[in-house]
Amino acid sequence: MRRLFGSVRARATVAATLVVAVVLVAAGTAVVLSLRANLIDRAGGDAESAARKVAARLATGTSWDALDLPDDDDEPVQIVDGTGRVRAVSEDLESVSGTGTSGVRPSAGPAPAGGTLDDDAHLSSGEAVIDGDRGTYRWAAIEVKPRESEDDSDTGSGSDTGSGSGSGSDTGSSGGDSEAETDDDSGSDSDSGAGSEAESGGDDDARTFTVFAGAPLDAADSAVRTALTVMLIGLPVLLAVVAAVTWAVTRRALRPVEGIRAELDAITGSRDLARRVPEPATHDEIAALARTTNATLAALQDAVDKQRRFVADASHELRSPIASLRTQLEVGAEHPEFLDLDGAVEDTVRLQHLAADLLLLARLDAGERPPDRPVRLADLVAREAAEHRLRARIEPERADGYEVRGSAPQLGRILGNLLDNARRHARSEVALALRQEGADAVVTVSDDGPGVPPAERDRVFERFVRLDDARTRDEGGAGLGLAIARDAAHRHGGSLVVGERPGGGAEFVLRVPLSG
């Protein structure tokens, strides 16, 4: 189990599934909330429309008891006057909550004489019991206010008296009719009296009506429940599909990685650096990894091959002086008079120099950096010139003596190897010069010998390489001097190349950055 969930494929699958789950839950929650809000707003619009229809009829003077109110469950309506009494309700509407009033059987009262509609509709939610069934509704309240009556002082002129009496007669007739209607509806004298008082203008609250119309929210609740059910069923299925697809895609994408790992494991076990990992025929990061791995294996194989050749060459170089020295010692032991003491010393010195060169190369190969110390390169050039009985040309003279940073013994070793190589190949002349080019100190060592062919100018710096096969080891050295000089130059941040000397011969150019 630990190995399974420790794999990249398992972690990618879990991460993808969790991300999709979070996104789907967030999106589903937003959709459900938006759906519910939209359905509630729609129900509010339907309730407001139903309330305005009834309120418009009341505003035109239609009596509340003459209204044909909806009697279905979708549009329950109740009418309440300004005193809080319920005047009319839809059939089968038993009780109401959430409107600020209690839905009861209507009380008898006067019919409105016309009014004006309130432009604003007030929305609320509550419950209603219709024919014994309880449900949640969205309520819209529309207020109908009585019309403003004309001022009585405007009827005081004699010419208007008749008209005013007529109007009063009409009012009395209307009041009688209202009382008759009230008696017929409820049989309550007190209510009838109250109605007469309200109609005469003594109580405007009794003539102010609020129409409450409702729209059921069952559809909204049902839609939300359906959406939640679909989400609860579909979400696990979708997450399972995402996990399966991610697992399959990741497995297919990482299959070349497994091939690379298996091949590297086989290379490690067999130590056969000639083998290469498979490169997929794609242009993605895995293909780049395979190419980089093969390049690394090729570089490693080249380094190992060079090391093997170096060991073989070193063994070969050491074998000759050791065999010669042993032979001389054995002869001297049997016949002391034949002991070549000078030859034995020469072979010993040669072994000493070869061992020192091999040790220095090993340190350079290990990446050892030279110490960061100031070195006056002009002094080193002058000293090496004096040891080789040469006259060094230093132009121009610098007060700091061409100061560079590094190791004085290693820089001196570079100059000594170059001068030894030049004297070995020169016919009659060896030249040593020091100058400045830009930010570099440039040392040139030239000779008038046969020179180095262009095709061999890189190979000459390889280890144990002798371009003159006819040269003996005693005269030509072990072939490590130039290799050591170039490696030491690189360790000091410089370079060493070979070119052609003007007039013929070889010219080695050493560049080292000046410290100033």
Side-chain angles (χ1 to χ4, degrees):
M1 183 64 68
R2 182 178 179 182
R3 180 179 179 183
L4 174 63
F5 286 98
S7 65
V8 175
R9 183 164 65 247
R11 291 198 299 269
T13 301
V14 172
T17 305
L18 289 178
V19 169
V20 173
V22 171
V23 171
L24 289 180
V25 169
T29 302
V31 168
V32 169
L33 294 177
S34 177
L35 175 63
R36 179 174 176 80
N38 290 336
L39 291 175
I40 291 177
D41 291 342
R42 182 175 179 181
D46 294 341
E48 182 180 352
S49 177
R52 286 192 181 280
K53 290 179 182 179
V54 176
R57 295 180 65 187
L58 285 175
T60 57
T62 303
S63 175
W64 51 263
D65 58 349
L67 293 173
D68 185 15
L69 299 180
D71 57 358
D72 56 2
D73 295 350
D74 292 338
E75 294 182 353
V77 176
Q78 77 170 0
I79 302 174
V80 182
D81 65 11
T83 63
R85 290 184 298 177
V86 178
R87 293 301 187 181
V89 295
S90 297
E91 186 178 357
D92 299 332
L93 179 60
E94 299 177 6
S95 66
V96 174
S97 66
T99 63
T101 64
S102 298
V104 296
R105 297 309 302 167
S107 302
T116 60
L117 292 178
D118 188 359
D119 291 336
D120 296 330
H122 306 285
L123 299 177
S124 63
S125 297
E127 292 184 345
V129 178
I130 301 176
D131 196 17
D133 295 331
R134 183 181 299 273
T136 305
Y137 287 80
R138 185 70 165 172
W139 297 97
I142 301 294
E143 187 176 358
V144 181
K145 299 179 180 179
R147 294 182 184 276
E148 295 292 338
S149 61
E150 296 180 358
D151 191 13
D152 293 338
S153 63
D154 293 341
T155 62
S157 63
S159 60
D160 293 336
T161 303
S163 175
S165 300
S167 177
S169 176
D170 292 341
T171 304
S173 174
S174 176
D177 293 342
S178 298
E179 289 179 3
E181 291 175 1
T182 304
D183 291 339
D184 293 340
D185 290 340
S186 64
S188 173
D189 293 339
S190 62
D191 289 344
S192 178
S196 299
E197 183 182 356
E199 193 165 300
S200 64
D203 189 4
D204 284 344
D205 289 340
R207 296 170 56 203
T208 300
F209 293 88
T210 302
V211 179
F212 292 96
L217 296 179
D218 295 341
D221 295 337
S222 177
V224 170
R225 286 194 298 269
T226 301
L228 288 175
T229 302
V230 171
M231 287 180 58
L232 292 177
I233 296 176
L235 182 60
V237 175
L238 184 58
L239 291 180
V241 172
V242 170
V245 171
T246 305
W247 181 272
V249 171
T250 309
R251 179 182 181 183
R252 181 179 180 85
L254 295 178
R255 187 177 300 167
V257 177
E258 177 60 25
I260 295 174
R261 187 208 62 80
E263 186 63 24
L264 285 175
D265 187 58
I267 293 173
T268 303
S270 64
R271 300 184 181 275
D272 183 7
L273 296 179
R275 300 175 62 173
R276 296 293 181 266
V277 300
E279 296 185 12
T282 57
H283 300 283
D284 54 9
E285 292 81 357
I286 297 178
L289 173 63
R291 290 191 293 269
T292 303
T293 302
N294 285 334
T296 303
L297 289 174
L300 182 60
Q301 181 185 12
D302 183 64
V304 171
D305 291 342
K306 287 182 178 179
Q307 183 181 15
R308 290 172 179 172
R309 289 195 301 269
F310 175 76
V311 172
D313 291 338
S315 301
H316 182 71
E317 293 293 334
L318 290 171
R319 184 177 59 184
S320 296
I322 290 176
S324 176
L325 181 60
R326 178 181 177 180
T327 300
Q328 294 181 41
L329 293 176
E330 289 177 349
V331 170
E334 295 292 336
H335 306 281
E337 66 276 10
F338 296 118
L339 176 62
D340 185 4
L341 187 59
D342 293 337
V345 171
E346 184 178 351
D347 288 338
T348 303
V349 171
R350 183 181 172 190
L351 282 173
Q352 182 182 4
H353 289 166
L354 183 57
D357 290 344
L358 293 176
L359 178 60
L360 179 57
L361 282 175
R363 292 166 57 187
L364 294 176
D365 288 341
E368 179 181 336
R369 305 294 300 179
D372 188 18
R373 298 172 183 172
V375 178
R376 293 174 61 90
L377 191 58
D379 294 344
L380 290 180
V381 170
R383 186 183 67 187
E384 293 295 330
E387 289 183 1
H388 290 78
R389 299 179 182 180
L390 298 175
R391 181 178 180 182
R393 186 174 69 253
I394 302 176
E395 297 177 355
E397 295 288 346
R398 285 173 55 105
D400 61 355
Y402 288 87
E403 183 177 293
V404 297
R405 309 291 297 185
S407 170
Q410 290 189 16
L411 290 173
R413 185 68 176 275
I414 295 174
L415 297 177
N417 289 354
L418 293 178
L419 290 173
D420 288 341
N421 179 76
R423 292 186 61 182
R424 191 177 299 119
H425 295 86
R427 294 188 178 94
S428 60
E429 181 182 359
V430 174
L432 175 62
L434 173 61
R435 68 180 187 275
Q436 179 181 354
E437 287 187 5
D440 295 335
V442 180
V443 179
T444 58
V445 178
S446 58
D447 62 76
D448 59 352
V452 180
E456 303 290 343
R457 288 176 182 174
D458 287 333
R459 182 170 172 266
V460 74
F461 292 105
E462 295 181 4
R463 300 171 183 181
F464 301 105
V465 171
R466 300 181 184 87
L467 298 184
D468 188 0
D469 294 334
R471 188 183 306 274
T472 65
R473 285 185 171 82
D474 292 336
E475 296 176 352
L480 295 177
L482 295 181
I484 292 175
R486 185 181 64 173
D487 289 349
H490 289 169
R491 291 294 185 273
H492 284 78
S495 64
L496 177 62
V497 296
V498 60
E500 185 176 357
R501 172 180 175 270
E507 182 178 66
F508 287 84
V509 180
L510 170 67
R511 293 179 180 271
V512 183
L514 291 168
S515 60

